[in-house]
Amino acid sequence: MPGGDAREAARTVTGSFEDFVHLPELPARGPGADMIGRTLGLLVEVYAHVEPSGWRISDRPGRDTRRAHSWMGEDLDALEEFTQGYTGLLKVQAVGPWTLAAALELRGGEAALGDPGACRDLAASLAEGLRGHLAEVRRRVPGARVVLQLDEPSLTAVLRGHVRTASGYRTYRAVDRQVVEGALRDVTGVHDGPSVIHSCAPDVPFALLRRAGAAAISFDFGLLTERDEEAIGEAVEGGTKLFVGVVPSTDRALSDSAGSVMGVRTLWRRLGLNPGTLADSLVITPTCGLAGASPDYARRALAHCVKAAKSLADNPE
Protein backbone atom coordinates (compact mmCIF):
# COMPACT_ATOMS: atom_id res chain seq x y z
CA MET A 1 0.00 0.00 0.00
CA PRO A 2 1.17 3.61 -0.58
CA GLY A 3 2.12 6.08 2.12
CA GLY A 4 3.55 5.60 5.57
CA ASP A 5 0.57 5.73 7.94
CA ALA A 6 -0.07 2.22 9.29
CA ARG A 7 -3.40 3.14 10.87
CA GLU A 8 -4.71 4.70 7.67
CA ALA A 9 -3.63 1.66 5.63
CA ALA A 10 -5.28 -0.73 8.10
CA ARG A 11 -8.45 1.38 8.07
CA THR A 12 -8.53 1.32 4.25
CA VAL A 13 -8.02 -2.44 4.01
CA THR A 14 -10.52 -3.38 6.70
CA GLY A 15 -13.03 -0.90 5.29
CA SER A 16 -12.69 -2.27 1.76
CA PHE A 17 -13.15 -5.97 2.47
CA GLU A 18 -15.76 -7.63 4.63
CA ASP A 19 -14.31 -11.12 4.87
CA PHE A 20 -10.76 -11.15 3.43
CA VAL A 21 -8.50 -8.46 4.89
CA HIS A 22 -4.71 -8.40 4.82
CA LEU A 23 -1.80 -6.99 6.79
CA PRO A 24 -0.67 -3.96 4.75
CA GLU A 25 2.95 -3.36 3.76
CA LEU A 26 4.15 0.25 3.50
CA PRO A 27 7.56 0.28 1.76
CA ALA A 28 7.58 4.08 1.36
CA ARG A 29 8.73 4.31 4.98
CA GLY A 30 12.17 3.12 3.91
CA PRO A 31 14.58 0.24 4.64
CA GLY A 32 13.00 -2.37 6.86
CA ALA A 33 9.53 -1.61 5.51
CA ASP A 34 10.44 -2.74 1.98
CA MET A 35 9.42 -6.29 1.06
CA ILE A 36 12.93 -7.73 1.42
CA GLY A 37 13.84 -5.92 4.64
CA ARG A 38 10.47 -6.64 6.19
CA THR A 39 10.93 -10.38 5.64
CA LEU A 40 14.56 -10.30 6.78
CA GLY A 41 13.24 -8.87 10.04
CA LEU A 42 11.26 -12.09 10.54
CA LEU A 43 14.26 -14.42 10.23
CA VAL A 44 15.55 -16.41 13.19
CA GLU A 45 19.29 -16.14 13.94
CA VAL A 46 19.98 -14.58 10.54
CA TYR A 47 20.52 -10.82 10.39
CA ALA A 48 21.11 -8.25 7.67
CA HIS A 49 21.92 -4.60 7.17
CA VAL A 50 21.59 -2.16 4.28
CA GLU A 51 24.51 -1.51 1.94
CA PRO A 52 24.43 0.78 -1.13
CA SER A 53 23.94 -2.37 -3.24
CA GLY A 54 21.10 -3.73 -1.09
CA TRP A 55 20.63 -5.97 1.93
CA ARG A 56 23.73 -7.86 3.16
CA ILE A 57 24.15 -10.56 5.80
CA SER A 58 25.35 -9.42 9.27
CA ASP A 59 26.86 -11.12 12.32
CA ARG A 60 24.36 -9.57 14.71
CA PRO A 61 21.16 -7.51 14.66
CA GLY A 62 21.74 -3.82 14.07
CA ARG A 63 19.82 -0.63 13.43
CA ASP A 64 18.22 -1.89 10.20
CA THR A 65 16.95 -5.07 11.85
CA ARG A 66 15.54 -3.07 14.78
CA ARG A 67 13.82 -0.75 12.32
CA ALA A 68 12.21 -3.70 10.51
CA HIS A 69 10.93 -5.05 13.85
CA SER A 70 9.56 -1.62 14.75
CA TRP A 71 7.70 -1.20 11.45
CA MET A 72 6.19 -4.68 11.75
CA GLY A 73 5.08 -4.01 15.31
CA GLU A 74 3.44 -0.77 14.21
CA ASP A 75 1.62 -2.57 11.39
CA LEU A 76 0.38 -5.32 13.70
CA ASP A 77 -0.81 -2.79 16.27
CA ALA A 78 -2.82 -0.97 13.60
CA LEU A 79 -4.29 -4.18 12.20
CA GLU A 80 -5.28 -5.37 15.67
CA GLU A 81 -7.01 -2.06 16.34
CA PHE A 82 -9.23 -2.33 13.26
CA THR A 83 -9.99 -6.08 13.46
CA GLN A 84 -11.60 -6.34 16.86
CA GLY A 85 -14.12 -9.20 16.67
CA TYR A 86 -13.12 -10.04 13.07
CA THR A 87 -13.76 -13.67 12.06
CA GLY A 88 -12.99 -13.75 8.33
CA LEU A 89 -9.89 -14.57 6.34
CA LEU A 90 -6.72 -12.61 7.13
CA LYS A 91 -3.77 -12.72 4.72
CA VAL A 92 -0.19 -12.00 5.76
CA GLN A 93 2.66 -11.72 3.25
CA ALA A 94 6.37 -12.50 3.29
CA VAL A 95 8.99 -12.86 0.58
CA GLY A 96 9.54 -16.49 -0.37
CA PRO A 97 12.89 -18.26 0.08
CA TRP A 98 14.06 -17.98 -3.54
CA THR A 99 13.37 -14.30 -4.09
CA LEU A 100 14.99 -13.72 -0.69
CA ALA A 101 18.06 -15.75 -1.73
CA ALA A 102 18.32 -13.77 -4.97
CA ALA A 103 18.16 -10.44 -3.10
CA LEU A 104 20.25 -11.04 0.05
CA GLU A 105 24.00 -10.57 -0.33
CA LEU A 106 26.52 -12.67 1.54
CA ARG A 107 29.53 -10.94 3.11
CA GLY A 108 31.49 -11.01 -0.15
CA GLY A 109 28.73 -9.20 -2.02
CA GLU A 110 27.38 -12.14 -4.04
CA ALA A 111 23.77 -13.27 -3.58
CA ALA A 112 22.94 -16.14 -1.25
CA LEU A 113 21.45 -17.79 -4.35
CA GLY A 114 24.95 -18.82 -5.46
CA ASP A 115 25.56 -20.83 -2.27
CA PRO A 116 23.33 -23.93 -1.85
CA GLY A 117 24.14 -24.14 1.87
CA ALA A 118 23.19 -20.51 2.39
CA CYS A 119 19.92 -21.12 0.53
CA ARG A 120 19.08 -24.03 2.84
CA ASP A 121 19.90 -22.00 5.95
CA LEU A 122 17.87 -19.06 4.71
CA ALA A 123 14.80 -21.22 3.99
CA ALA A 124 15.04 -22.86 7.43
CA SER A 125 15.36 -19.48 9.16
CA LEU A 126 12.42 -18.11 7.18
CA ALA A 127 10.27 -21.11 8.08
CA GLU A 128 11.02 -20.70 11.78
CA GLY A 129 10.46 -16.94 11.64
CA LEU A 130 7.12 -17.35 9.89
CA ARG A 131 6.04 -19.88 12.51
CA GLY A 132 6.47 -17.21 15.19
CA HIS A 133 4.96 -14.44 13.07
CA LEU A 134 1.83 -16.47 12.32
CA ALA A 135 1.42 -17.26 16.01
CA GLU A 136 1.65 -13.54 16.82
CA VAL A 137 -0.97 -12.68 14.20
CA ARG A 138 -3.32 -15.33 15.61
CA ARG A 139 -2.81 -13.97 19.11
CA ARG A 140 -3.69 -10.45 18.03
CA VAL A 141 -6.68 -11.40 15.84
CA PRO A 142 -7.85 -14.67 17.44
CA GLY A 143 -11.04 -15.05 15.43
CA ALA A 144 -9.40 -14.77 12.01
CA ARG A 145 -8.55 -17.63 9.67
CA VAL A 146 -4.99 -16.83 8.62
CA VAL A 147 -3.76 -17.21 5.03
CA LEU A 148 -0.01 -17.13 4.33
CA GLN A 149 1.21 -15.55 1.09
CA LEU A 150 4.76 -16.00 -0.16
CA ASP A 151 5.87 -13.39 -2.71
CA GLU A 152 8.21 -14.94 -5.30
CA PRO A 153 8.67 -12.43 -8.16
CA SER A 154 12.20 -13.76 -8.84
CA LEU A 155 11.20 -17.42 -8.97
CA THR A 156 11.11 -17.77 -12.76
CA ALA A 157 14.52 -16.10 -13.05
CA VAL A 158 15.91 -18.49 -10.39
CA LEU A 159 14.57 -21.52 -12.27
CA ARG A 160 15.96 -20.31 -15.60
CA GLY A 161 19.35 -19.10 -14.40
CA HIS A 162 18.63 -15.47 -15.22
CA VAL A 163 19.61 -13.86 -11.89
CA ARG A 164 22.72 -11.75 -12.46
CA THR A 165 25.81 -11.88 -10.26
CA ALA A 166 27.20 -8.81 -8.50
CA SER A 167 29.41 -7.94 -11.48
CA GLY A 168 26.48 -8.13 -13.86
CA TYR A 169 28.59 -10.00 -16.40
CA ARG A 170 27.24 -13.47 -15.69
CA THR A 171 24.29 -15.19 -14.07
CA TYR A 172 23.89 -17.71 -11.28
CA ARG A 173 23.30 -21.29 -12.32
CA ALA A 174 19.64 -22.32 -12.55
CA VAL A 175 18.46 -24.04 -9.38
CA ASP A 176 17.12 -27.57 -9.77
CA ARG A 177 13.32 -27.59 -9.82
CA GLN A 178 13.10 -30.28 -7.14
CA VAL A 179 15.29 -28.19 -4.83
CA VAL A 180 13.11 -25.15 -5.47
CA GLU A 181 9.95 -27.14 -4.84
CA GLY A 182 11.32 -28.70 -1.65
CA ALA A 183 12.26 -25.36 -0.09
CA LEU A 184 8.87 -23.88 -0.91
CA ARG A 185 7.15 -26.93 0.56
CA ASP A 186 9.19 -26.64 3.76
CA VAL A 187 8.25 -22.98 4.18
CA THR A 188 4.54 -23.35 3.39
CA GLY A 189 4.49 -26.40 5.64
CA VAL A 190 4.88 -24.30 8.81
CA HIS A 191 1.32 -23.02 8.30
CA ASP A 192 -1.62 -25.27 9.07
CA GLY A 193 -3.95 -23.11 6.98
CA PRO A 194 -4.00 -22.24 3.27
CA SER A 195 -0.91 -20.81 1.58
CA VAL A 196 -0.77 -18.59 -1.51
CA ILE A 197 2.32 -18.19 -3.69
CA HIS A 198 2.43 -14.95 -5.68
CA SER A 199 4.45 -14.02 -8.72
CA CYS A 200 3.86 -10.96 -10.89
CA ALA A 201 6.49 -12.17 -13.41
CA PRO A 202 5.78 -14.01 -16.67
CA ASP A 203 5.84 -17.82 -16.93
CA VAL A 204 4.55 -18.68 -13.48
CA PRO A 205 5.38 -22.39 -12.80
CA PHE A 206 1.82 -23.36 -11.84
CA ALA A 207 2.40 -27.12 -11.56
CA LEU A 208 5.52 -26.72 -9.41
CA LEU A 209 3.75 -24.33 -7.04
CA ARG A 210 0.82 -26.70 -6.65
CA ARG A 211 3.18 -29.58 -5.80
CA ALA A 212 4.94 -27.31 -3.31
CA GLY A 213 1.73 -26.97 -1.30
CA ALA A 214 0.14 -23.81 -2.64
CA ALA A 215 -3.61 -23.84 -2.07
CA ALA A 216 -3.78 -20.74 -4.29
CA ILE A 217 -1.58 -19.09 -6.90
CA SER A 218 -1.52 -15.32 -7.43
CA PHE A 219 -0.46 -13.84 -10.79
CA ASP A 220 -0.83 -10.98 -13.25
CA PHE A 221 -3.53 -12.08 -15.69
CA GLY A 222 -2.16 -9.80 -18.41
CA LEU A 223 1.11 -11.78 -18.56
CA LEU A 224 -0.51 -15.13 -19.36
CA THR A 225 0.23 -16.80 -22.68
CA GLU A 226 -1.48 -19.70 -24.44
CA ARG A 227 1.03 -22.17 -23.01
CA ASP A 228 -0.16 -21.28 -19.49
CA GLU A 229 -3.76 -22.20 -20.20
CA GLU A 230 -3.49 -25.96 -19.80
CA ALA A 231 -1.78 -25.53 -16.42
CA ILE A 232 -4.51 -23.13 -15.31
CA GLY A 233 -7.24 -25.55 -16.33
CA GLU A 234 -5.53 -28.36 -14.40
CA ALA A 235 -5.14 -26.09 -11.36
CA VAL A 236 -8.83 -25.15 -11.34
CA GLU A 237 -9.97 -28.74 -11.80
CA GLY A 238 -7.57 -29.80 -9.03
CA GLY A 239 -9.13 -27.34 -6.58
CA THR A 240 -6.36 -24.72 -6.57
CA LYS A 241 -7.67 -21.18 -6.10
CA LEU A 242 -6.49 -18.46 -8.48
CA PHE A 243 -5.74 -14.93 -7.30
CA VAL A 244 -6.14 -13.16 -10.63
CA GLY A 245 -4.51 -9.76 -11.03
CA VAL A 246 -6.73 -7.79 -13.41
CA VAL A 247 -6.96 -4.32 -11.81
CA PRO A 248 -4.03 -2.00 -12.67
CA SER A 249 -1.70 -1.42 -9.72
CA THR A 250 -0.77 2.18 -10.61
CA ASP A 251 -2.97 5.20 -11.27
CA ARG A 252 -5.01 5.02 -14.45
CA ALA A 253 -8.62 5.11 -15.54
CA LEU A 254 -10.54 2.02 -14.44
CA SER A 255 -12.96 0.27 -16.76
CA ASP A 256 -16.36 -0.85 -15.59
CA SER A 257 -16.18 -3.78 -13.16
CA ALA A 258 -17.62 -6.29 -15.65
CA GLY A 259 -15.09 -5.20 -18.27
CA SER A 260 -12.20 -5.88 -15.88
CA VAL A 261 -13.06 -9.57 -15.73
CA MET A 262 -14.14 -10.05 -19.35
CA GLY A 263 -10.83 -11.74 -20.16
CA VAL A 264 -11.31 -14.18 -17.28
CA ARG A 265 -14.75 -15.15 -18.57
CA THR A 266 -13.32 -15.64 -22.06
CA LEU A 267 -10.55 -17.87 -20.71
CA TRP A 268 -13.09 -19.97 -18.80
CA ARG A 269 -15.08 -20.55 -22.00
CA ARG A 270 -11.97 -21.39 -23.99
CA LEU A 271 -10.93 -23.97 -21.39
CA GLY A 272 -14.41 -25.48 -21.30
CA LEU A 273 -14.78 -24.80 -17.58
CA ASN A 274 -18.15 -24.39 -15.93
CA PRO A 275 -18.89 -20.63 -15.58
CA GLY A 276 -20.63 -21.43 -12.30
CA THR A 277 -17.25 -22.20 -10.76
CA LEU A 278 -15.83 -18.72 -11.41
CA ALA A 279 -16.81 -17.12 -8.12
CA ASP A 280 -15.54 -20.06 -6.06
CA SER A 281 -12.31 -20.50 -8.01
CA LEU A 282 -11.12 -16.88 -8.20
CA VAL A 283 -10.09 -13.98 -6.03
CA ILE A 284 -9.85 -10.69 -7.98
CA THR A 285 -6.77 -8.61 -7.14
CA PRO A 286 -4.61 -5.78 -8.46
CA THR A 287 -1.95 -6.90 -10.95
CA CYS A 288 0.74 -6.42 -8.29
CA GLY A 289 1.25 -4.32 -5.15
CA LEU A 290 -0.27 -0.85 -4.86
CA ALA A 291 2.78 0.83 -3.30
CA GLY A 292 3.39 2.89 -6.44
CA ALA A 293 -0.17 4.21 -6.60
CA SER A 294 -1.65 7.33 -5.02
CA PRO A 295 -3.62 6.74 -1.80
CA ASP A 296 -6.85 7.71 -3.54
CA TYR A 297 -6.25 5.34 -6.42
CA ALA A 298 -5.32 2.51 -4.05
CA ARG A 299 -8.68 2.86 -2.30
CA ARG A 300 -10.51 2.93 -5.64
CA ALA A 301 -8.57 -0.10 -6.90
CA LEU A 302 -9.51 -2.17 -3.85
CA ALA A 303 -13.17 -1.16 -4.21
CA HIS A 304 -12.98 -2.04 -7.91
CA CYS A 305 -11.71 -5.53 -7.05
CA VAL A 306 -14.76 -6.05 -4.85
CA LYS A 307 -17.14 -4.86 -7.59
CA ALA A 308 -15.44 -6.99 -10.25
CA ALA A 309 -15.67 -10.09 -8.07
CA LYS A 310 -19.34 -9.37 -7.40
CA SER A 311 -20.01 -9.09 -11.14
CA LEU A 312 -18.54 -12.57 -11.64
CA ALA A 313 -20.68 -13.99 -8.86
CA ASP A 314 -23.85 -12.28 -10.08
CA ASN A 315 -23.33 -12.99 -13.78
CA PRO A 316 -20.81 -15.79 -14.39
CA GLU A 317 -21.81 -16.08 -18.04
Side-chain angles (χ1 to χ4, degrees):
M1 294 289 285
D5 188 331
R7 292 186 74 254
E8 180 59 30
R11 180 187 292 113
T12 296
V13 168
T14 55
S16 299
F17 305 114
E18 294 181 358
D19 55 6
F20 198 178
V21 302
H22 62 269
L23 176 65
E25 298 179 0
L26 301 172
R29 295 178 298 194
D34 61 295
M35 61 182 279
I36 299 296
R38 182 180 178 87
T39 299
L40 289 171
L42 297 175
L43 300 183
V44 173
E45 296 183 355
V46 174
Y47 313 107
H49 65 279
V50 178
E51 292 278 345
S53 54
W55 286 91
R56 183 170 294 182
I57 204 83
S58 299
D59 292 325
R60 59 184 64 85
R63 178 182 61 186
D64 297 322
T65 299
R66 291 192 294 272
R67 186 185 293 121
H69 291 166
S70 177
W71 291 138
M72 181 64 81
E74 183 179 306
D75 294 341
L76 288 169
D77 287 344
L79 182 72
E80 183 178 6
E81 177 183 349
F82 288 98
T83 51
Q84 295 298 304
Y86 179 71
T87 57
L89 295 169
L90 167 58
K91 182 168 70 70
V92 297
Q93 304 83 234
V95 173
W98 295 108
T99 296
L100 203 59
L104 177 63
E105 298 175 357
L106 301 178
R107 289 176 181 83
E110 292 293 345
L113 183 64
D115 183 332
C119 290
R120 287 192 296 270
D121 291 345
L122 197 56
S125 177
L126 175 61
E128 192 59 32
L130 283 173
R131 197 187 308 275
H133 179 54
L134 291 165
E136 174 70 3
V137 171
R138 292 189 191 98
R139 184 186 68 78
R140 288 173 176 262
V141 194
R145 292 168 289 154
V146 179
V147 177
L148 171 63
Q149 175 174 311
L150 297 180
D151 291 321
E152 283 282 16
S154 299
L155 184 59
T156 300
V158 167
L159 288 167
R160 294 188 169 186
H162 290 173
V163 177
R164 293 198 169 276
T165 60
S167 68
Y169 292 119
R170 63 185 183 88
T171 59
Y172 295 104
R173 181 178 299 176
V175 180
D176 183 88
R177 297 179 78 87
Q178 291 186 337
V179 174
V180 169
E181 181 183 324
L184 288 170
R185 187 184 300 110
D186 289 345
V187 175
T188 60
V190 305
H191 182 42
D192 57 7
S195 295
V196 184
I197 300 181
H198 165 74
S199 174
C200 51
D203 299 319
V204 176
F206 288 95
L208 184 153
L209 299 183
R210 292 175 61 209
R211 293 194 303 269
I217 299 172
S218 175
F219 58 95
D220 181 343
F221 186 77
L223 297 180
L224 291 181
T225 64
E226 286 187 13
R227 64 177 175 268
D228 295 314
E229 293 186 1
E230 182 179 351
I232 288 176
E234 291 175 353
V236 172
E237 291 175 344
T240 303
K241 301 282 187 182
L242 302 179
F243 284 37
V244 183
V246 296
V247 177
S249 57
T250 54
D251 292 46
R252 66 191 67 184
L254 293 171
S255 66
D256 65 284
S257 55
S260 294
V261 291
M262 186 181 302
V264 178
R265 287 193 177 96
T266 301
L267 174 62
W268 235 244
R269 287 194 295 269
R270 197 157 59 240
L271 293 175
L273 297 171
N274 179 3
T277 65
L278 274 166
D280 290 334
S281 299
L282 302 182
V283 173
I284 301 301
T285 75
T287 54
C288 201
L290 292 165
S294 67
D296 176 67
Y297 178 81
R299 286 189 291 270
R300 289 191 290 115
L302 295 181
H304 194 82
C305 288
V306 174
K307 293 176 183 175
K310 189 173 187 303
S311 76
L312 279 181
D314 293 345
N315 183 23
E317 297 290 346

